[in-house]
């Protein structure tokens, strides 16, 4: 074992230090595209231990990459070269008691999102972040990527839900910013800076999160629509009519439905009609006096009269509601099980989604005739997971992948959007950022990184690489 390995093993004990030979489960990213063998995996149980690990790694000049649930889709939670330390927060998973009167809760970074949801059941409060990986993703990882998910258009991204943070800096110094108020304008918004920093500015160890009143009632509908233009038109009217009670507006396409039904057992499609696109709509309220079904059926009837909605159904039970959500949430899994795929996480102004679909479709078809295009995502904030499967009979995209990625990313950027909407840059999108963001933006990011981590030991491969010129 190296000197640093021995030191960390001494600090953390056998439960807290996994040597290189046993580190395989932490080594590769979720999509198995990135990762290199580590010196070992540090699994501290306290902030003091995180601080000691960081201090030792800093002194040795060895890179450290924090890892949460390792569900990130851009390769940000694994090493870019052998020999660094993976710092897993999994043992720091405590969940405090909710402060009911203030609407907040303090948690440790390793707490799994779904466990937080379960802990809040019956408290009358909820944490409004939902995504397909919530059974594994941890609060620290969600902060690290500034996660979005299906309710972000209504309640904000992670940066809007974090009130306070405790962070261990590159040299082991602990910043205690565990305040529990939304309003704190005492200088730069440090807590926001760590949201989306992907482990390059510090290690989040604890957070105070904002809670919202839990819904007392909800109504969930699954709708069939002819095409993207109808989906955008219907979504616009729905947002205007339902206002603040609209909490879910997710879309997927017929290819995605087909793949999910084919590959994911136990999924069922409850309607007779098929269309080009599908919408999962949810309205919810903490008040039991809000006429939710009336609001929803009113817009639905309008959509049907206008020919925008071909068919639809409202969930009659909690089980049916979950079944509708699974049709949307299993979209990534359906496509993964189909074989090779290219994932793009773009955002465009919501009113331009249909225009984007048309232009992106033409670009991709031009580059790879017969490419199978499977867009799904979050209609109300314009976030499209524009995913591609190769033409029937082809195993992958080969060297056409780069051109496809650049074309889709460039189009979204030119339309006033983003090529990295909610998954971050990680290692996967550093090249795209270099190509599509201005040198000014890149320099500002590099300046920040170097100010927080002059020794370049914090996740040096992600976002803007520490050795960038
Ligand atoms: C099926 C599926 C569905 C998904 N759906 C969504 C979605 O709807 N919306 C969305 O935004 N994302 C989605 N994701 C992506 C992923 O779940 C999110 O990026 C999530 O925030 C990652 O959390 P994690 O704990 O797994 O973090 P990891 O993957 O472990 O880490 C992500 C990044 O955060 C850093 N990090 C981890 N812990 C810390 C810490 N304590 N302090 C500082 N930095 C840290 C890591 O170094 C890495 O750069 C999905 C992923 C899958 C597999």
């Amino acid at each position: 074992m190296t000197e640093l390995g021995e030191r960390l093993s001494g600090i953390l004990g056998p439960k807290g230090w996994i040597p290189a030979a046993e580190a395989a489960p932490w080594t590769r990213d979720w999509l198995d595209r990135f990762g290199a063998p580590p010196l070992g995996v540090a699994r501290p149980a306290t902030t003091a231990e995180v601080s000691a690990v960081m201090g030792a790694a800093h002194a040795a000049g060895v890179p450290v990459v924090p890892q949460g649930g390792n569900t990130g889709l851009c390769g940000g939670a694994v090493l870019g070269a052998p020999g660094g330390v993976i710092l897993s927060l999994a043992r720091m998973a405590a969940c405090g008691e909710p402060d009911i009167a203030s609407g907040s809760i303090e948690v440790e970074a390793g707490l799994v999102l779904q466990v937080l949801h379960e802990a809040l059941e019956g408290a009358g409060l909820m944490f409004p972040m939902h995504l397909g990986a919530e059974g594994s993703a941890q609060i620290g990882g969600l902060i690290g990527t500034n996660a979005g998910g299906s309710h972000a258009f209504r309640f904000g991204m992670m940066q809007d839900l974090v009130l306070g943070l405790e962070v261990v800096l590159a040299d082991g110094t602990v910043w205690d910013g565990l305040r529990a108020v939304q309003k704190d304008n005492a200088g730069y918004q440090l807590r926001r800076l760590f949201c989306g920093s992907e482990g390059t500015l510090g290690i989040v160890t604890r957070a105070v999160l904002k809670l919202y009143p839990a819904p007392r009632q909800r109504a969930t509908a699954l709708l069939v629509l002819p095409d993207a233009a109808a989906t955008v038109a219907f979504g616009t009217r729905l947002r205007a009519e339902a206002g603040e009670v609209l909490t879910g507006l997710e879309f997927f396409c017929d290819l995605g439905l087909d793949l999910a039904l084919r590959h994911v057992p136990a999924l069922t499609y409850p309607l007779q009609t098929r269309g080009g696109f599908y919408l999962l709509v949810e309205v919810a309220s903490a008040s039991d006096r809000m006429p939710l079904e009336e609001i929803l059926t009113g817009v639905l009837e309008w959509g049907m009269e206008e020919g925008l909605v071909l068919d639809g159904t409202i969930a009659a039970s909690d089980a049916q509601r979950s079944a509708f959500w699974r049709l949307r949430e299993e979209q990534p899994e359906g496509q993964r099980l189909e074989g090779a795929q290219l994932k793009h996480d773009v955002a465009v102004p919501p009113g331009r989604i249909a225009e984007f679909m048309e232009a992106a479709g033409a670009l991709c078809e031009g580059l790879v005739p017969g490419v199978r295009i499977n867009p799904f995502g979050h209609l109300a904030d314009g976030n499209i997971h524009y995913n591609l499967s190769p033409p029937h009979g082809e195993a992958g995209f080969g060297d056409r992948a780069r051109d496809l990625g650049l074309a889709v990313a460039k189009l979204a950027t030119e339309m006033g959007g983003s090529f990295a909407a909610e998954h971050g840059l990680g290692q996967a999108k550093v090249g795209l950022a270099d190509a599509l963001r201005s040198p000014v933006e890149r320099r500002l990011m590099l300046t920040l990184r170097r100010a927080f981590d002059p020794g370049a030991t914090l996740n040096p491969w992600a976002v803007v690489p520490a050795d960038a010129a």
Side-chain angles (χ1 to χ4, degrees):
M1 211 190 308
T2 65
E3 204 178 307
L4 178 63
E6 269 171 34
R7 177 100 205 275
L8 295 180
S9 168
I11 292 169
L12 297 167
K15 269 194 185 165
W17 178 249
I18 313 282
E22 296 158 37
W26 290 267
T27 301
R28 300 288 295 171
D29 75 313
W30 181 275
L31 294 171
D32 198 17
R33 288 186 302 166
F34 297 94
L39 174 67
V41 180
R43 300 178 74 239
T46 61
T47 299
E49 285 185 359
V50 175
S51 168
V53 170
M54 293 309 293
H58 184 255
V62 171
V64 178
V65 175
Q67 189 176 96
N70 198 14
T71 67
L73 298 173
C74 292
V78 291
L79 301 177
V85 172
I86 289 178
L87 195 157
S88 162
L89 278 296
R91 287 175 73 213
M92 294 180 63
C95 181
E97 285 297 315
D99 178 339
I100 308 283
S102 307
S104 64
I105 190 166
E106 187 174 321
V107 302
E108 284 188 322
L111 183 68
V112 169
L113 179 56
Q114 190 174 306
V115 177
L116 173 61
H117 289 150
E118 286 162 6
L120 289 169
E121 271 168 25
L125 292 170
M126 61 145 180
F127 183 62
M129 162 86 34
H130 288 279
L131 39 81
E134 65 190 42
S136 305
Q138 300 175 2
I139 298 303
L142 295 159
I143 293 171
T145 58
N146 190 25
S150 52
H151 290 50
F153 78 93
R154 167 81 176 81
F155 298 100
M157 297 176 79
M158 207 58 191
Q159 63 184 355
D160 304 299
L161 301 172
V162 169
L163 299 176
L165 283 182
E166 177 186 79
V167 180
V168 176
L169 304 176
D171 64 357
T173 306
V174 180
W175 171 54
D176 181 350
L178 281 171
R179 291 175 276 269
V181 287
Q182 182 165 13
K183 290 190 169 176
D184 174 30
N185 276 351
Y188 301 129
Q189 298 295 297
L190 292 178
R191 68 179 193 221
R192 283 189 174 244
L193 205 51
F194 287 104
C195 297
S197 63
E198 301 187 61
T200 63
L201 302 182
I203 314 289
V204 174
T205 43
R206 300 180 79 84
V208 180
L209 303 175
K210 185 174 175 182
L211 302 177
Y212 279 82
R216 283 206 179 78
Q217 53 157 338
R218 1 169 123 88
T220 309
L222 180 67
L223 310 181
V224 188
L225 303 99
D227 51 32
T231 308
V232 172
F234 180 76
T236 305
R237 175 71 171 242
L238 181 64
R239 274 151 60 205
E241 295 280 327
E244 68 282 2
V245 298
L246 185 66
T247 53
L249 186 57
E250 299 286 296
F251 73 93
F252 50 96
C253 73
D254 199 48
L255 172 62
L257 177 64
D258 201 43
L259 296 179
L261 291 174
R262 196 137 41 88
H263 293 302
V264 183
L267 283 191
T268 51
Y269 179 63
L271 294 161
Q272 300 298 324
T273 319
R274 297 283 287 257
F277 277 82
Y278 302 85
L279 268 182
L280 187 121
V281 177
E282 191 154 282
V283 286
S285 176
S287 163
D288 46 21
R289 291 163 193 241
M290 188 72 78
L292 285 186
E293 287 227 9
E294 221 174 280
I295 295 170
L296 189 54
T297 46
V299 195
L300 267 181
E301 278 163 19
W302 172 84
M304 286 182 162
E305 277 161 24
E306 295 291 315
L308 299 174
V309 177
L310 302 175
D311 199 358
T313 177
I314 295 180
S317 64
D318 273 351
Q320 203 173 26
R321 170 180 178 264
S322 307
F324 288 4
W325 270 102
R326 275 201 71 199
L327 284 174
R328 160 65 185 91
E329 281 170 351
E330 296 291 358
Q331 291 294 312
E333 191 60 2
Q335 187 157 27
R336 188 181 72 82
L337 293 169
E338 175 72 359
Q341 59 167 322
L342 274 184
K343 283 170 134 15
H344 306 111
D345 167 38
V346 302
V348 295
R352 302 188 71 181
I353 288 178
E355 187 189 336
F356 172 84
M357 298 281 195
E358 204 176 324
L363 279 173
C364 293
E365 181 64 31
L367 287 165
V368 180
V371 60
R372 289 177 293 155
I373 301 173
N374 181 17
F376 55 85
H378 318 289
L379 193 81
D381 50 32
N383 182 186
I384 307 165
H385 299 303
Y386 195 79
N387 295 344
L388 307 175
S389 288
H392 281 297
E394 291 187 25
F397 291 99
D399 45 16
R400 296 168 300 180
R402 203 184 160 275
D403 292 345
L404 285 164
L406 189 59
V408 171
K410 198 158 173 275
L411 178 65
T413 304
E414 285 168 357
M415 288 178 73
S418 172
F419 61 89
E422 62 175 7
H423 297 158
L425 297 177
Q427 298 182 46
K429 292 189 182 162
V430 167
L432 278 181
D434 286 349
L436 296 173
R437 289 281 160 103
S438 76
V440 177
E441 199 165 318
R442 190 167 178 279
R443 198 174 62 243
L444 284 172
M445 291 201 194
L446 202 51
T447 305
L448 267 178
R449 172 195 260 287
R450 288 181 176 155
F452 276 75
D453 179 23
T457 50
L458 272 173
N459 206 355
W461 306 278
V463 185
V464 51
D467 62 0

